[in-house]
Structures are given as C-alpha cells and as structure tokens.
Amino acid sequence: MNKKRLSIILEKLEKNSDPSPKLEQYNIGGEIASDILFKAYMDGNIENKIIADFGTGNGIFAIGACLLGAKLCIGVDIDKKSLLIAQRNAHNTNTCPSFINANIKDIYLKNIEVAIQNPPFGSQQKHADRIFIDKALSISEVVYSIHNANTIKFIENYVNNTNHYISWMQYYLLSIPHMFKFHTKEKEPIKVIAVKIEKKQG
C-alpha cells in the first residue's frame, strides 16, 4: 500500500452529508490523512501497533491505519450518525476497526500505543481541542493531532507544560466547503497544522 493508493481510497470514503457545526465536523480528505498516516508509518508508529482515533468521524484515520497494517484500530466519536458512516466505510474497504460511541471525556482505553486525531478546532466550543489533547496524552506516549494553524503557539505552550514535547509539525491547506449557515463562501481555505507529540524521556 503506497501513499498515493491510500490517498485515493481514503478520498473515496463516504462523508457526513449533514455535519454538526457544534462538533466542528470538518473532513480533512484523503490527501492530508494519507500524508499524516504515512508519516506515522515511516516513524514505526502504525504497523503492528494499537491505534486510537479520537473524533473518528467517517473513520478516515482508523481505516487508513488498518490498511497500513495496524494490529488494532479503535475509533471513538460522540456522534452516532458519524459512526454509522464509519462502519459502512470500514465494510467497503474490507477493514475491521472497532468503533465506540462515547464522549471523549468519559472514555479510557488501555494498551493504546499511538493516538491519531482530528479534534474540533475550538472555534465553536472554547478549548474543545484541549480536551482531546489531554485524553490522547493520558493514554498514549505518541500522538499525531491536527489543529488550526493559528493556535500553534497555544498548542506548543500547552504541550511544553506537560511531560511531552512536539517533535514534528507540518502545515496543510484545508479547503472547507460551504457546510453551515455562518459560512459565507462556497469554499474557505483554512491553514491547519499536524503535530507529533511525544513523551519526554527521563
């Protein structure tokens, strides 16, 4: 499975046609998802690993990790409708991640080796992204996470105040279609940043 092939598969996944503005359900698309997943794969953090995908949405990270040889992928989302879409996508790609309907604050998973997530940016609910960071860091020593690029200084300072550090970051341009009433353009480009967070040694 090369990155181009993975990108094509992930781009074809069914998307949520009625997303929730409160949950900030933006789809990152196959190209960005495959790039982050391949970064994790080349780091040795996908193959034969137990992966958590918080805010899994249509299952893009969980399914992608399965396609790259993860031992087990667990997708968590508060939205039941999104999980139904994720389950259909898993069936259509012949993958078998596990999906859990739960509030991220209320769940605790054991034996997770890597967390990969696309949390809310915190635009609609302040510090919503912080909740995801805290949960991911509490259950895994390695986290790949996507955020609004404008918040990177906050993310860096927040992570540095824990027993973790950011070891990699990559900027992307995410094209947001007209999804909600407050959107004024047919498409809105938003600069996002993916970060890799690791636990400090010693």
Side-chain angles (χ1 to χ4, degrees):
M1 176 68 67
N2 60 42
K3 186 164 71 171
K4 183 178 180 181
R5 177 61 180 159
L6 181 65
S7 176
I8 292 171
I9 293 172
L10 297 182
E11 186 61 37
K12 290 181 179 179
L13 295 180
E14 179 185 349
K15 301 172 179 62
N16 188 344
S17 61
D18 185 26
S20 163
K22 181 180 178 181
L23 297 177
E24 299 185 58
Q25 293 175 320
Y26 298 122
N27 191 322
I28 61 169
E31 187 173 352
I32 294 175
S34 63
D35 197 64
I36 295 169
L37 283 163
F38 251 83
K39 164 62 179 172
Y41 178 81
M42 296 303 292
D43 289 343
N45 289 321
I46 295 288
E47 193 171 18
N48 295 319
K49 298 291 186 180
I50 301 176
I51 310 289
D53 174 11
F54 293 137
T56 189
N58 69 343
I60 192 165
F61 278 137
I63 290 168
C66 284
L67 290 170
L68 290 176
K71 183 189 297 184
L72 174 65
C73 298
I74 303 171
V76 181
D77 206 291
I78 197 171
D79 183 30
K80 291 181 180 180
K81 181 171 58 179
S82 290
L83 291 180
L84 290 175
I85 295 170
Q87 288 167 350
R88 288 197 294 269
N89 283 330
H91 175 77
N92 292 334
T93 53
N94 295 314
T95 58
C96 51
S98 298
F99 293 112
I100 300 173
N101 177 221
N103 188 316
I104 195 72
K105 294 185 294 185
D106 301 329
I107 193 167
Y108 185 80
L109 302 174
K110 294 182 179 180
N111 303 318
I112 299 298
E113 296 174 273
V114 182
I116 307 178
Q117 60 183 11
N118 178 26
F121 292 156
S123 302
Q124 302 300 313
Q125 182 180 347
K126 193 174 183 180
H127 300 317
D129 52 347
R130 185 187 297 180
I131 296 170
F132 278 74
I133 293 172
D134 288 344
K135 180 59 66 172
L137 294 181
S138 74
I139 60 111
S140 175
E141 293 189 357
V142 182
V143 177
Y144 297 84
S145 190
I146 302 174
H147 301 273
N148 188 315
N150 291 332
T151 66
I152 184 55
K153 290 301 180 185
F154 162 77
I155 299 296
E156 286 183 300
N157 290 334
Y158 191 75
V159 168
N160 287 337
N161 284 327
T162 69
N163 193 33
H164 299 80
Y165 68 102
I166 293 176
S167 61
W168 168 84
M169 61 177 67
Q170 177 67 51
Y171 288 95
Y172 300 96
L173 196 61
L174 179 62
S175 182
I176 303 293
H178 189 284
M179 298 166 61
F180 307 125
K181 291 181 180 179
F182 56 84
H183 286 164
T184 58
K185 299 179 181 179
E186 184 178 346
K187 286 189 177 181
E188 181 73 29
I190 296 180
K191 196 174 184 181
V192 299
I193 187 166
V195 297
K196 177 185 178 183
I197 306 172
E198 297 184 76
K199 195 169 186 178
K200 294 175 182 176
Q201 301 298 317

